[in-house]
Amino acid sequence: MLITIDTANERPLYEQIADAARQAVARGELRANDKLPAANEIALGLEINKHTVLRAYQILRDEGLVDLRRGRGAVVTDLATELAALKTEVEALARRAQVLGVSRAALISLVTSAPGGSASDGWEAGASESMLEVTEETPDE
Amino acid sequence: MNNAASPTTPDQAGRTRENELARAISFARWVGLILPLVVTTASTVLLLVWLPKMPDPAAVHWGVTGAPDGFGPASSYIWLNVLTGYGLTILMWTMIWMSIAKLSVRLWSPYQRFLAAFAAGFSVFMGLTNLASAGVQLGLSDAKDAPNISWMIGAAFLAWILVSVIAWMVQPRVDLRDQLSLPAAQLELSESERAIWIGEARPGRLYFWAMGIGLVCILIGAVAVFAVPTDAIARGIMAAAVLLVFVLSVMCSWFRVRIDQRGLEARSIVGWPTFRLPAEEIARVEATEINPFAEFGGWGMRWAPGRFGLVLRTGEGVVATRKDGRIFAITVDDSQRAASLLARVAKGKRK
């Protein structure tokens, strides 16, 4: 699993880390019951504060993507399977948008403003952006 | 023996490589599979013919004094010859097959050449030893009268070495390990970006089962030894040896891997040992197919002069070449990304 952060980007580091995890899930690299690396390890490797990583894990927990368990750390939930399955549909959506000439940014706004999500149930802009970023990475697979 | 004519097209190179591989396999099959099978079969047939003429019980073990000190049924020789002769041959050939059966990359190296030569020599040794031990007892009414066979065993041993050397020399010298492959494309990272790669070098399914079955057999053997009354020292040594084997097996079978700006670090799941490849020592990184049997002589934590590998399955992995030329290989999934990051951090340190 590759985690990249950009200290120059205005998006908070903890969101970037959460993005990396969501992308890994969407790609199928992280599956249900997989354990996320220890926050220490990521913090050490990226040379950032451990609490930044922990914040990312808490965000993922609030989204329902991971469980934070004492002793075991962050474990990916079954939601991961659903998220990965969603990827196929998202790819189809992205292709259709492209065909229609709808911009990626417009598409993201559509997803964000779609009914069924709200700030309180954790469906943040980040998740939809991450998913679509993954789709961009893998155009013709 | 190696193809001297330089190929002009990649197609020609590929075909030449296939020819060399086929030739190496063919020779190895003759000396390492067919010869041992013939030798073992012939000696077993002879032992069967001799069976009625042997004393019962027969001598099956000779002591340091030269006189027989262990006795058992004459049929023991049949079992011994069949199990060791065929068994070892099958073992050697399975190891050779492991390195050429996988369709992704089929490699040949001195490792396999050695295995074939070993099988040839060993089958001759076992056959001769069994024939000698049984042969001196033909016509005897009491196995205790069996003469000293030390010189015969010595001769069988020499035959082992001689046959193995000939079997080695007869095979063509083919080494297909050093293939041209492209260095990994470096991960694009701007000044403000940082990245880490986290993964595992996990045991492959085949390795896991082979190790598991092997360890269970050792455990059964240990229990069987414990069941027989022996002195405490023998039992202690046995227990310690079995424990050591178990611990070492687990220690070297699963590694957590992290790649960051410092380089690559592989940590055993039990915490120790940890292997580090500092970024500043790296000259070149590739993501490539790794063939443990052909390139390292087997699975696991492997060392040979100039190369070190944590190779726990056949398949993709990261191969780094240090500035002093030594190779470090590790089998991991997602090797493309891992290699691209490692290449990037290595470049970073070269500034």
Side-chain angles (χ1 to χ4, degrees):
Chain A
M1 172 175 152
L2 186 71
I3 304 177
T4 312
I5 56 168
D6 188 352
T7 52
N9 193 323
E10 57 196 25
R11 194 168 163 76
L13 293 182
Y14 53 82
E15 276 296 344
Q16 293 186 43
I17 293 174
D19 280 347
R22 293 183 196 114
Q23 284 173 24
V25 166
R27 270 194 293 257
E29 283 165 27
L30 277 179
R31 282 180 282 237
N33 286 319
D34 281 348
K35 198 163 111 61
L36 287 181
N40 272 353
E41 273 218 77
I42 299 183
L44 213 63
L46 292 174
E47 292 177 313
I48 58 178
N49 196 310
K50 175 176 155 185
H51 296 286
T52 311
V53 184
L54 287 174
R55 178 113 185 244
Y57 282 9
Q58 280 159 9
I59 290 174
L60 294 170
R61 192 253 334 256
D62 292 342
E63 274 179 19
L65 214 48
V66 307
D67 268 338
L68 295 179
R69 302 204 200 141
R70 262 219 183 98
R72 269 214 83 193
V75 177
V76 179
T77 62
D78 291 327
L79 188 62
T81 325
E82 314 301 332
L83 192 65
L86 217 53
K87 181 184 173 211
T88 330
E89 298 184 37
V90 170
E91 279 174 355
L93 185 66
R95 268 196 300 276
R96 193 160 139 73
Q98 190 178 27
V99 161
L100 292 173
V102 173
S103 77
R104 185 53 57 95
L107 181 59
I108 289 175
S109 315
L110 271 178
V111 175
T112 319
S113 58
S118 69
S120 62
D121 75 28
W123 180 249
E124 298 178 19
S128 55
E129 271 169 35
S130 312
M131 187 76 87
L132 290 169
E133 269 165 40
V134 177
T135 316
E136 251 169 23
E137 262 179 47
T138 59
D140 289 316
E141 265 173 19
Chain B
M1 298 269 182
N2 283 340
N3 198 316
S6 18
T8 50
T9 66
D11 209 31
Q12 281 180 357
R15 264 185 279 125
T16 308
R17 198 169 168 276
E18 278 303 310
N19 289 347
E20 282 199 60
L21 182 62
R23 188 145 171 270
I25 294 174
S26 175
F27 273 79
R29 194 182 294 126
W30 276 103
V31 303
L33 184 64
I34 296 177
L35 175 69
L37 288 181
V38 166
V39 165
T40 304
T41 307
S43 50
T44 305
V45 164
L46 201 51
L47 287 169
L48 282 167
V49 166
W50 286 353
L51 198 55
K53 302 185 205 150
M54 292 183 62
D56 187 16
V60 296
H61 191 270
W62 275 253
V64 289
T65 57
D69 63 0
F71 301 89
S75 56
S76 313
Y77 282 101
I78 313 293
W79 286 113
L80 186 64
N81 205 44
V82 163
L83 289 175
T84 54
Y86 291 130
L88 189 103
T89 305
I90 290 172
L91 180 67
M92 294 289 117
W93 195 256
T94 303
M95 284 165 68
I96 290 175
W97 179 82
M98 290 292 310
S99 62
I100 56 177
K102 185 82 178 181
L103 294 175
S104 56
V105 173
R106 301 165 82 223
L107 290 180
W108 196 264
S109 75
Y111 285 117
Q112 290 112 308
R113 192 178 172 193
F114 173 78
L115 292 177
F118 185 88
F122 184 81
S123 63
V124 167
F125 169 75
M126 273 323 288
L128 287 178
T129 302
N130 288 330
L131 286 177
S133 312
V136 296
Q137 299 179 57
L138 287 176
L140 289 181
S141 49
D142 187 354
K144 292 198 197 76
D145 298 329
N148 192 340
I149 57 165
S150 309
W151 71 268
M152 288 177 158
I153 306 297
F157 200 74
L158 283 175
W160 179 354
I161 296 176
L162 193 66
V163 169
S164 285
V165 166
I166 295 175
W168 170 273
M169 284 170 26
V170 150
Q171 293 179 73
R173 181 208 283 160
V174 172
D175 195 338
L176 300 173
R177 283 175 298 177
D178 301 316
Q179 336 156 59
L180 273 180
S181 51
L182 298 168
Q186 288 174 27
L187 188 68
E188 293 290 321
L189 283 181
S190 65
E191 280 301 314
S192 59
E193 285 181 306
R194 303 177 202 160
I196 59 169
W197 184 92
I198 294 187
E200 289 182 328
R202 301 174 67 141
R205 192 154 10 124
L206 218 50
Y207 169 68
F208 181 81
W209 281 102
M211 269 304 239
I213 291 175
L215 290 175
V216 166
C217 288
I218 289 178
L219 198 59
I220 291 176
V223 166
V225 165
F226 264 71
V228 173
T230 10
D231 56 35
I233 296 178
R235 286 183 159 177
I237 294 175
M238 187 77 182
V242 171
L243 195 63
L244 189 65
V245 168
F246 266 83
V247 168
L248 287 176
S249 306
V250 172
M251 257 169 42
C252 305
S253 295
W254 199 320
F255 293 86
R256 298 205 204 281
V257 185
R258 184 181 72 231
I259 299 175
D260 58 28
Q261 81 284 2
R262 291 170 295 174
L264 184 147
E265 180 186 283
R267 214 170 52 247
S268 161
I269 39 164
V270 296
W272 185 86
T274 301
F275 298 100
R276 289 192 185 87
L277 180 63
E280 51 267 14
E281 287 184 30
I282 301 174
R284 183 192 157 93
V285 181
E286 301 156 40
T288 181
E289 294 288 314
I290 296 177
N291 189 326
F293 278 86
E295 299 180 79
F296 290 90
W299 286 306
M301 193 174 83
R302 312 289 300 186
W303 178 89
R307 53 179 65 214
F308 177 81
L310 299 170
V311 291
L312 302 169
R313 54 149 174 71
T314 305
E316 61 165 330
V318 173
V319 177
T321 310
R322 294 184 206 241
K323 288 176 178 156
D324 59 17
R326 288 182 295 151
I327 287 175
F328 180 97
I330 183 164
T331 49
V332 289
D333 291 342
D334 195 24
S335 60
Q336 298 273 6
R337 268 198 281 265
S340 74
L341 178 60
L342 192 59
R344 177 68 175 83
V345 303
K347 172 179 175 246
K349 292 290 164 136
R350 262 181 253 147
K351 285 189 200 143

